[in-house]
Amino acid sequence: GDFILLTPSIRAIRENFPRAYITLVVTKAVYPMAELCPYVNEVIVFETPFKSSTSNNDVINILMTTTDFSVKRLWRRHFDICFAFLNDPTHCFMGYMSGAKTRVALASGFSNVLMTHPLPFDETKLIHWCERNLYLPQACGLTIKSKELELWIDNEDIIRAKNLLNGFAPNRIKIAFGLGANHVERRYPVEKYLVALKEIVAKGAAIVILGGPSEVKDAKFLEDNLPKGTVKNITEIRPGWRVDSAIISLCDMYLGNDTGTQHVAAALKKPIIVLSRESKDRERLSRHNCENIMFESWQTKHITIQPEHQLGECARKMSTCWAGKPHCIAQIEPEEIINAYEKILG
């Protein structure tokens, strides 16, 4: 999702530097999508050795790994400019060790020291993450022709997606269903999803369940409890991001949790219903970490369903839900999903 929200900025850099040699550094998970990007000359994979703890040994390990990667893979290229869109310590340190003459990032404690151009930015501004990314090239004087998201899939991906959906529910509205999420607090309870999906299927829809290894059990539960012929479970096949994206392109809309597949659907201009862990509490709108605003579906028809209030500790801290389980999001009732489905179809 973060990578897809970066695509307008990558495109803008290429449009402003049409003859430049552009290198994109991404994680292993992002590489299958990034390798087809037409705006860069090469894509390099770097995996940060992040751990759950923040001990001195972990910090030293991260710095050593980043230094080794930067010296071996970046320094010899003699870059003129480095854009560090994620201005965390690792990326700023990588930008510094790349040897790039000009190093651009949003101003922060680390970028102020390691970057030549730490750009002042009001972190309390509630703007979309796509706009936040575009701030870097805009502040450097680059022209932004378009803010549309992009996604690249090839013919093989489309063919495999068509084969997976061949003959499935030809006369029904196909919903690409994102069951999972990286953070457990973003996962709507599967039992409640079942109640909503049963009613949506009764109204003429068919469900294509997308997800990874952690979604296999819940996906099987839905498959076993929804009417035969109305559900296609892709989770056990694990076709990968690009084929999943091709499947979404063949569906009529997206429904699911606030996760990366939402942004795939937005790039494909699909109608979207997304469930958020962030509440509607008005006081929260003054905070900069309202992800339902910063990461809402970009430039496509969408409905975001939110709980009315944060619960317990989340409410007291007025913060994002970090309960370690489906928590605030569980207040959303299945009827709200059903109503959103009817509304988005018009």
Side-chain angles (χ1 to χ4, degrees):
D2 290 342
F3 173 72
I4 292 171
L5 296 178
L6 188 61
T7 55
S9 299
I10 299 172
R11 182 178 61 242
I13 292 171
R14 169 55 72 199
E15 289 172 344
N16 284 268
F17 299 101
R19 298 177 62 186
Y21 189 92
I22 300 177
T23 298
L24 187 62
V25 180
V26 299
T27 62
K28 183 178 179 180
V30 168
Y31 180 80
M33 304 191 81
E35 67 173 333
L36 295 182
C37 176
Y39 305 118
V40 301
N41 298 87
E42 67 173 335
V43 182
I44 302 178
V45 172
F46 172 71
E47 287 295 335
T48 307
F50 282 123
K51 294 185 179 180
S52 57
S53 64
T54 55
S55 67
N56 289 336
N57 287 338
D58 289 338
V59 174
I60 293 171
N61 186 26
I62 291 171
L63 291 177
M64 289 180 63
T65 305
T66 306
T67 300
D68 182 68
F69 170 83
S70 301
V71 171
K72 289 180 178 178
R73 304 297 304 275
L74 304 179
W75 184 277
R76 60 186 174 85
R77 286 170 165 78
H78 303 291
F79 289 111
D80 296 293
I81 305 173
C82 167
F83 287 97
F85 287 94
L86 294 176
N87 63 324
D88 58 38
T90 301
H91 292 89
C92 289
F93 188 66
M94 182 189 297
Y96 177 77
M97 293 303 297
S98 73
K101 300 171 186 175
T102 300
R103 303 183 297 277
V104 183
L106 298 182
S108 68
F110 292 95
S111 65
N112 291 347
V113 175
L114 299 173
M115 312 306 276
T116 62
H117 291 70
L119 304 176
F121 183 78
D122 184 359
E123 289 285 356
T124 64
K125 290 176 65 176
L126 281 171
I127 66 170
H128 196 277
W129 202 258
C130 187
E131 297 275 16
R132 178 190 173 101
N133 287 334
L134 285 167
Y135 176 77
L136 259 65
Q138 283 178 317
C140 294
L142 276 62
T143 301
I144 309 298
K145 295 181 180 178
S146 170
K147 297 181 180 180
E148 288 197 356
L149 304 180
E150 286 196 50
L151 181 73
W152 308 285
I153 46 184
D154 61 22
N155 288 335
E156 289 185 8
D157 303 323
I158 293 290
I159 290 170
R160 189 172 180 198
K162 286 182 176 178
N163 288 337
L164 287 170
L165 297 183
N166 185 35
F168 173 62
N171 299 317
R172 287 177 171 266
I173 293 170
K174 290 185 181 61
I175 300 176
F177 177 51
L179 177 59
N182 284 337
H183 298 116
V184 67
E185 298 87 357
R186 292 178 178 170
R187 298 188 177 201
Y188 187 63
V190 67
E191 296 81 9
K192 285 195 165 189
Y193 260 138
L194 178 61
V195 175
L197 293 178
K198 278 185 175 180
E199 184 64 24
I200 289 171
V201 164
K203 293 178 180 293
I207 312 298
V208 182
I209 307 177
L210 305 174
S214 60
E215 282 75 62
V216 170
K217 182 179 178 181
D218 286 346
K220 189 67 169 62
F221 169 77
L222 293 175
E223 184 181 14
D224 291 343
N225 287 279
L226 288 170
K228 300 298 181 184
T230 66
V231 58
K232 187 78 171 180
N233 181 6
I234 309 295
T235 59
E236 293 180 331
I237 301 172
R238 304 177 194 174
W241 265 107
R242 291 223 309 259
V243 177
D244 278 357
S245 300
I247 289 171
I248 293 173
S249 76
L250 298 175
C251 291
D252 300 295
M253 61 177 291
Y254 172 84
L255 163 65
N257 301 322
D258 177 13
T259 188
T261 42
Q262 169 199 179
H263 303 300
V264 170
L268 294 167
K269 299 296 184 184
K270 298 293 180 178
I272 294 170
I273 299 172
V274 65
L275 279 62
S276 173
R277 63 178 169 176
E278 299 271 13
S279 76
K280 299 176 184 176
D281 290 317
R282 294 182 63 84
E283 297 92 328
R284 291 177 48 77
L285 295 179
S286 63
R287 298 180 60 88
H288 69 273
N289 60 349
C290 291
E291 61 186 28
N292 60 294
I293 295 175
M294 297 177 72
F295 296 98
E296 70 174 347
S297 304
W298 182 250
Q299 293 186 344
T300 193
K301 183 178 182 181
H302 67 277
I303 297 174
T304 301
I305 306 175
Q306 301 172 250
E308 289 296 328
H309 305 286
Q310 300 295 99
L311 298 175
E313 194 70 13
C314 307
R316 285 189 291 274
K317 293 182 178 179
M318 293 301 294
S319 68
T320 296
C321 181
W322 294 107
K325 60 182 179 181
H327 184 230
C328 298
I329 195 173
Q331 297 173 87
I332 296 172
E333 295 299 332
E335 289 77 12
E336 297 179 72
I337 303 174
I338 298 165
N339 293 337
Y341 170 73
E342 293 177 336
K343 183 176 181 181
I344 208 161
L345 288 182

